[in-house]
């Protein structure tokens, strides 16, 4: 990846001028230790400075010797006069006896830190030393302490302090790390680039990078323990903020670069879009209109659009995307619509065909399941420009795909594509416009981390007349009564229902889970006898699947027993009942998506989540959240809290930076602040 493409996740320090930063330059770090640090990802002195202590422990500093002895302190930093130097002989360690205010301390080295180390000391040397203390028959003894020879005993103010505990590196003790950190800081502090503008530091009352590092490694004397603790907190916040700020700057920079000097097709003709709207059987909501207005405006400009459209399930994002497509097509450029799975792509294709057949616009598709002949035909149509609209999966980035003039890319679930795939996507056209969508809302903090280089449009308003979906939790044991009620309801109203199962067929490995094949047969011959029960799952051949879907949509099937293949996008307004079997096995956004299949008409819909006994805490939280709200934005926040960012996005690290210090959940506020600051700094505008 080139520099412009690489987006930082982890915070890194930079130097003003080139400096040797090798670890082996530091006293006390030999090849072996350097290798051990390397294994922990510490490759140079700058990494070392960012290796922050795991915790701190209370330490005695400059406290009179006798008090140290009396309190049996387990860590000291003090100074004294060497009274005896005992050379290393055989297995006997090199030893110093040091007098501190009348108490004798023993300092031991079983291995010398470096050749000639022992020759630096004479009796009468004044030394500063610090380290962990053991007691050898009441004599305080330090093994391999840190030492420094000084001219005279400094004026030591007694102090209780915090001492960093690094840990975490096999066979490299804290004193080695502390000493290396101290040396690295001494050498590099004046060379460190301050990554955050002073005005922003002042705004947020954060310390400079040097102050922050000195605090974190406790390199400065801070008189007051309380004061030190306070400083530690804000020093850490500063690192978190900078990490997010670096990310946001890079994302904003990419946003700027992608737009600068770019010549996107100016799509000013909007009549076809208007016609599309006139053909709709409903009128647009305010949020839809606003989203379309923004997008139409951007499509009309030569600065390429980079927009993420977010909205809850059923909020009507598809129409907005279709409108964008219609405007692009009317202006003579091609549109590629892309989805991460075959099922989603197939659904989009149906929608596109439905919307565009009235507009006399041919549509084609590209997917992995096509025959070679179909594929060749589609490729030729795109290359020649005969076809303006293509819907597809990853197959769209494969070799041989060429467009005559690709002007707009619409991507559903963009985060499910890999990071470099995003770039190849844009390379399909010359400065194309890009509209991304998500199937369920992504919490704002996470959206900012992953889509920081996008402008955001959120559709909050639902189409009018939608009733809230009544959601209830029921034990599986009570399902007989439930299904009897459902049979009555469907028979008397002619409404339809979904029943979702976790498995396709019986599996010995998970014998207690329900499966769609047996479940459907059981219902058809039992509780739902007399109703037309259909089966749908991912292992059925494509034509069989679409045949079943067609019959359900036409009302020829009353109850559709299915796996989660119906999760996304399926739209049958007459279906008003959703039953999820073994609901505890499904994720929150999955349940929300499933529930979104009903509640699509003015009739009140219901969703029943059937569970067994012995739910895990997470499962209980998910189900309670489902029953408590049907606001997808609220649920997304809950889901993010339960699962964490990587799992939430469905694919680990799909564009989600791995942070060294920041935590999107815990530090969401800082992320938001960093985005605002970066946008204000680089774009002069934080409102987008
Ligand atoms: P999603 O945002 O989940 O993709 P869809 O675009 O699938 O939602 O829309 C859900 C359903 O709502 C579809 O049947 C669609 O035709 C319908 N719809 C969209 N906008 C409106 C509206 N303004 N008024 C009434 N129905 C609408
Ligand atoms: Mg949709």
């Amino acid at each position: 990846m080139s520099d412009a493409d690489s987006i930082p996740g982890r915070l890194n320090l930079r130097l003003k001028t080139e400096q040797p930063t090798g670890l082996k330059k530091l006293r006390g770090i030999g090849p072996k230790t350097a290798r051990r640090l390397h294994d922990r990802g510490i490759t140079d002195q700058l990494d070392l400075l960012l290796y922050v202590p795991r915790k701190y422990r209370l330490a005695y500093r400059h406290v009179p010797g006798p008090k140290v002895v009396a309190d049996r302190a387990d860590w000291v930093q003090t100074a004294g006069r060497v009274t005896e130097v005992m050379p290393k002989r055989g297995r006997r360690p090199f030893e110093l006896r040091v007098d501190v205010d009348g108490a004798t301390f023993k300092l031991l080295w079983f291995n010398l830190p470096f050749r000639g180390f022992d020759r630096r000391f004479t009796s009468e040397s004044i030394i500063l030393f610090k380290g962990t203390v053991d007691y050898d028959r009441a004599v305080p003894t330090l093994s391999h302490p840190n030492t420094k020879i000084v001219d005279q005993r400094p004026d030591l103010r007694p102090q209780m302090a915090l001492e960093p505990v690094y840990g975490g590196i096999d066979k490299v003790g804290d004193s080695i790390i502390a000493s290396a950190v101290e040396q690295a800081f001494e050498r590099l502090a004046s060379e460190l680039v301050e990554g955050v503008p002073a005005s922003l530091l002042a705004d947020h009352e954060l310390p400079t990078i040097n102050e922050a590092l000195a605090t974190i490694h406790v390199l400065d004397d801070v008189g007051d323990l309380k004061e030190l603790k306070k400083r530690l907190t804000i020093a850490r916040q500063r690192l978190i903020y900078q990490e997010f700020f670096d990310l946001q700057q890079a994302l904003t920079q990419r946003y700027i670069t992608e737009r600068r000097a770019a010549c996107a097709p100016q799509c000013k003709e909007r009549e076809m879009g208007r016609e599309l709207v006139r053909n709709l059987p409903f009128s647009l909501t305010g949020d839809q209109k606003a989203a379309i207005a923004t997008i139409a405006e951007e499509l009309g400009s030569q600065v390429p659009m980079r927009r993420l459209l977010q909205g809850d399930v059923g909020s009507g994002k598809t129409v907005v995307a279709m409108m964008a497509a219609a405007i692009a097509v009317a202006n003579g450029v091609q549109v590629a619509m892309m989805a991460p799975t075959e099922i989603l792509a197939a659904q989009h294709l149906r929608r596109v065909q439905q919307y565009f057949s009235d507009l006399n616009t041919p549509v084609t598709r590209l997917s992995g399941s096509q025959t070679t002949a179909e594929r060749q035909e589609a490729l030729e149509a795109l290359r020649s420009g005969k076809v303006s609209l293509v819907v597809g999966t990853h197959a769209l980035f494969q070799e041989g795909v060429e467009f005559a003039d690709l002007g707009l890319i619409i991507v559903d679930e963009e985060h499910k594509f890999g990071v470099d795939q995003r770039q190849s996507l844009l390379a399909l056209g010359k400065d194309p416009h890009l509209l991304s969508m998500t199937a369920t809302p992504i919490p704002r903090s996470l959206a900012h981390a992953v889509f920081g280089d996008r402008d955001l449009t959120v559709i909050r308003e639902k189409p009018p007349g939608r009733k809230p979906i009544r959601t209830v939790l029921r034990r599986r044991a009570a399902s007989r009564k439930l299904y009897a009620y459902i049979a009555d309801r469907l028979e008397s109203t002619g409404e339809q229902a979904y029943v979702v199962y976790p498995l396709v067929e019986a599996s010995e490995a998970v014998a207690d889970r329900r499966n769609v094949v047996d479940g459907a047969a059981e219902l058809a011959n039992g509780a739902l006898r007399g109703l037309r029960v259909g089966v749908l799952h991912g292992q059925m051949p494509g034509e069989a699947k679409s045949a079943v879907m067609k019959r359900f949509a036409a009302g020829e099937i009353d109850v559709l027993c299915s796996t989660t293949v119906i999760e996304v996008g399926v739209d049958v307004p007459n279906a008003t009942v959703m039953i999820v079997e073994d609901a505890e096995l499904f994720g929150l956004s999955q349940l929300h998506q499933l529930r979104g299949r009903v509640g699509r008409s003015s009739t009140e819909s219901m969703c029943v989540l059937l569970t067994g006994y012995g739910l895990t805490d997470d499962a209980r939280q998910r189900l309670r959240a489902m029953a408590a709200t049907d606001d997808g934005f609220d649920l997304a926040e809950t889901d993010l809290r339960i699962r964490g960012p990587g799992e939430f996005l469905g694919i680990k690290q799909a564009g989600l930076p791995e942070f060294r210090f920041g935590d999107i959940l815990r530090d969401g506020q800082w992320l938001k602040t960093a985005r605002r600051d970066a946008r204000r700094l680089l774009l002069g505008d934080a409102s987008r």
Side-chain angles (χ1 to χ4, degrees):
M1 270 203 286
S2 72
D3 261 6
D5 295 343
S6 77
I7 294 298
R10 299 162 67 78
L11 174 65
N12 281 307
L13 297 173
R14 275 165 298 132
L15 295 173
K16 291 176 197 154
T17 59
E18 203 140 314
Q19 298 285 329
T21 56
L23 291 170
K24 281 181 275 183
K25 298 232 169 290
L26 302 173
R27 266 180 285 111
I29 307 250
K32 257 196 211 144
T33 308
R35 206 167 327 113
R36 289 188 173 120
L37 294 175
H38 240 271
D39 290 346
R40 280 293 270 116
I42 304 172
T43 57
D44 62 11
Q45 295 179 23
L46 296 169
D47 284 334
L48 190 64
L49 289 176
L50 290 179
Y51 190 68
V52 308
R54 204 156 38 85
K55 58 180 184 182
Y56 297 85
R57 68 177 160 216
L58 200 59
Y60 277 67
R61 277 203 177 153
H62 309 165
V63 173
K67 180 167 166 55
V68 173
V69 179
D71 286 359
R72 295 225 154 193
D74 58 4
W75 193 94
V76 307
Q77 173 178 11
T78 186
R81 188 173 46 81
V82 175
T83 54
E84 249 180 289
V85 181
M86 301 155 83
K88 182 172 163 55
R89 271 214 200 90
R91 311 179 76 184
R92 249 185 51 190
F94 173 58
E95 180 176 335
L96 296 178
R97 295 278 166 101
V98 184
D99 173 76
V100 180
D101 318 309
T104 300
F105 284 66
K106 241 183 356 187
L107 277 46
L108 303 178
W109 285 267
F110 294 89
N111 296 301
L112 298 182
F114 50 88
R115 193 195 300 261
F117 174 78
D118 47 352
R119 288 199 295 273
R120 300 169 11 132
F121 302 93
T122 61
S123 58
E124 299 302 311
S125 298
I126 308 287
I127 64 170
L128 301 176
F129 63 94
K130 60 181 176 185
T132 313
V133 190
D134 287 321
Y135 291 85
D136 179 5
R137 270 164 291 159
V139 179
T141 306
L142 290 81
S143 298
H144 298 250
N146 252 307
T147 56
K148 195 169 175 182
I149 300 172
V150 291
D151 293 337
Q152 54 181 345
R153 184 162 177 198
D155 176 27
L156 299 176
R157 270 178 300 119
Q159 187 184 44
M160 301 288 279
L162 294 181
E163 187 58 24
V165 178
Y166 294 95
I169 302 176
D170 198 27
K171 293 199 172 128
V172 184
D174 278 355
S175 64
I176 294 179
I177 300 174
S179 147
V181 165
E182 198 174 336
Q183 295 172 60
F185 189 73
E186 217 161 87
R187 301 177 44 152
L188 300 177
S190 62
E191 286 290 321
L192 287 177
V193 171
E194 173 53 70
V196 183
S199 61
L200 291 175
L201 291 180
D203 281 355
H204 306 312
E205 297 183 8
L206 291 173
T208 64
I209 186 67
N210 289 30
E211 285 163 352
L213 292 174
T215 302
I216 278 173
H217 297 292
V218 201
L219 298 171
D220 287 343
D221 275 347
V222 179
D224 182 36
L225 211 55
K226 255 215 209 109
E227 171 69 18
L228 179 58
K229 283 186 183 160
K230 206 173 90 198
R231 283 204 207 171
L232 272 174
T233 309
I234 56 173
R236 251 186 252 119
Q237 281 171 357
R238 139 125 212 165
L239 297 184
I240 292 163
Y241 171 75
Q242 183 175 354
E243 187 156 69
F244 289 156
F245 182 66
D246 284 355
L247 169 71
Q248 292 300 333
Q249 279 195 105
L251 288 169
T252 307
Q253 201 54 61
R254 181 157 85 185
Y255 172 90
I256 292 168
T257 312
E258 278 180 16
R259 293 160 54 100
R260 185 196 304 136
C263 265
Q266 283 180 271
C267 303
K268 289 189 179 300
E269 170 54 51
R270 297 187 192 168
E271 181 45 34
M272 191 167 164
R274 284 190 208 109
E275 192 180 338
L276 187 143
V277 172
R278 279 198 297 273
N279 293 343
L280 292 174
F282 47 76
S283 48
L284 297 171
T285 64
D287 277 0
Q288 283 173 322
K289 281 186 194 150
I292 288 171
T294 310
I295 290 168
E297 181 74 25
E298 286 180 312
L299 288 173
S301 147
Q302 61 179 16
V303 177
M305 171 167 71
R306 292 289 177 265
R307 190 160 288 278
L308 173 69
L309 180 64
Q310 288 224 72
D312 203 350
V313 182
S315 62
K317 298 180 289 286
T318 315
V319 184
V320 174
M322 295 302 161
M323 199 42 213
I327 293 175
V329 169
N331 285 274
V333 294
Q334 291 168 299
V335 178
M337 193 160 180
M338 215 170 295
T341 65
E342 293 262 342
I343 288 176
L344 249 182
Q347 261 152 16
H348 284 313
L349 182 68
R350 270 200 299 281
R351 290 278 189 82
V352 172
Q353 281 166 335
Q354 176 198 328
Y355 281 106
F356 282 84
S357 62
D358 297 345
L359 303 174
N360 289 320
T361 303
V363 177
T364 190
R365 72 181 180 121
L366 271 180
S367 79
S369 61
Q370 263 169 326
T371 65
T372 318
E374 279 174 321
R375 187 175 159 81
Q376 286 311 326
E377 196 185 330
L379 289 177
E380 178 47 36
L382 292 174
R383 195 177 307 126
S384 65
K386 207 166 70 199
V387 164
S388 310
L389 251 164
V390 61
V391 179
T393 55
H394 297 81
L396 274 167
F397 332 109
Q398 275 153 20
E399 218 164 301
V401 181
E402 272 173 52
F403 288 85
D405 187 6
L406 178 62
L408 170 65
I409 302 174
I410 299 172
V411 196
D412 206 0
E413 303 273 58
E414 188 191 339
H415 56 281
K416 301 239 161 132
F417 291 96
V419 180
D420 12 320
Q421 284 177 329
R422 285 194 200 179
Q423 292 313 100
S424 10
L425 205 140
L426 291 173
L428 289 174
K430 193 188 160 296
D431 300 332
H433 295 289
L434 174 67
L435 178 66
S436 313
M437 297 189 285
T438 60
T440 40
I442 294 179
R444 193 161 275 266
S445 55
L446 192 54
H448 283 168
V450 179
F451 295 102
D453 54 348
R454 302 277 188 270
D455 297 310
L456 286 182
T457 293
V458 176
I459 300 185
R460 279 235 157 233
E461 193 179 354
K462 295 246 167 102
R466 295 273 161 88
K467 296 239 172 67
I469 302 164
R470 200 157 64 86
T471 301
V472 293
L473 311 182
R474 288 284 178 272
R475 295 279 186 211
R476 168 111 258 297
S479 66
R480 187 194 297 258
K481 231 169 92 189
L482 168 75
Y483 280 112
Y485 162 81
I486 299 298
D488 264 4
R489 172 169 174 158
L490 300 189
E491 266 159 15
S492 61
T493 61
E495 292 162 17
Q496 292 161 285
Y498 298 97
V499 185
V500 176
Y501 298 82
L503 294 182
V504 172
E505 52 193 24
S507 153
E508 278 180 30
V510 279
D512 55 337
R513 294 191 186 174
R514 314 265 311 150
N515 73 82
V516 62
V517 172
D518 294 341
E522 226 170 81
L523 290 177
N525 300 319
L528 302 185
R529 193 193 297 268
L531 289 166
R532 293 160 300 175
V533 176
V535 174
L536 180 71
H537 58 74
Q539 288 172 22
M540 290 161 50
E543 299 97 78
K545 270 190 287 197
S546 42
V548 171
M549 266 328 294
K550 264 203 198 114
R551 288 177 54 215
F552 187 65
E556 294 161 24
I557 291 176
D558 299 307
V559 179
L560 185 60
C561 293
S562 165
T563 55
T564 55
V565 291
I566 59 142
E567 182 184 332
V568 200
V570 173
D571 185 28
V572 179
N574 190 48
T576 57
V577 177
M578 165 64 62
I579 298 170
V580 184
E581 292 267 1
D582 291 341
E584 68 269 34
L585 300 176
F586 297 90
L588 190 45
S589 75
Q590 212 174 17
L591 288 171
H592 182 56
Q593 269 286 346
L594 287 170
R595 180 168 60 183
R597 298 310 106 215
V598 297
R600 290 174 169 255
S601 70
S602 48
T603 312
E604 184 179 284
S605 293
M606 73 182 295
C607 170
V608 187
L609 305 174
L610 285 173
T611 67
Y613 292 95
L615 301 184
T616 64
D617 275 355
D618 281 4
R620 195 167 297 125
Q621 278 187 57
R622 286 200 295 272
L623 296 169
R624 288 215 180 115
M626 280 293 292
T629 177
D630 63 5
D631 181 308
F633 286 88
D634 288 351
L635 288 172
E637 294 286 346
T638 307
D639 199 16
L640 178 62
R641 264 202 315 280
I642 298 175
R643 286 198 292 166
E647 290 288 330
F648 180 93
L649 288 174
I651 293 175
K652 284 215 153 163
Q653 273 118 58
L656 179 67
E658 263 200 84
F659 298 112
R660 212 196 274 252
F661 300 108
D663 175 329
I664 290 176
L665 279 172
R666 189 192 57 201
D667 311 315
Q669 201 54 39
W670 280 118
L671 183 59
K672 192 171 151 195
T673 305
R675 175 177 157 101
R676 196 195 56 209
D677 291 345
R679 291 215 148 200
R680 191 177 291 154
L681 187 75
L682 298 171
L683 289 172
D685 175 9
S687 61
R688 295 199 280 188

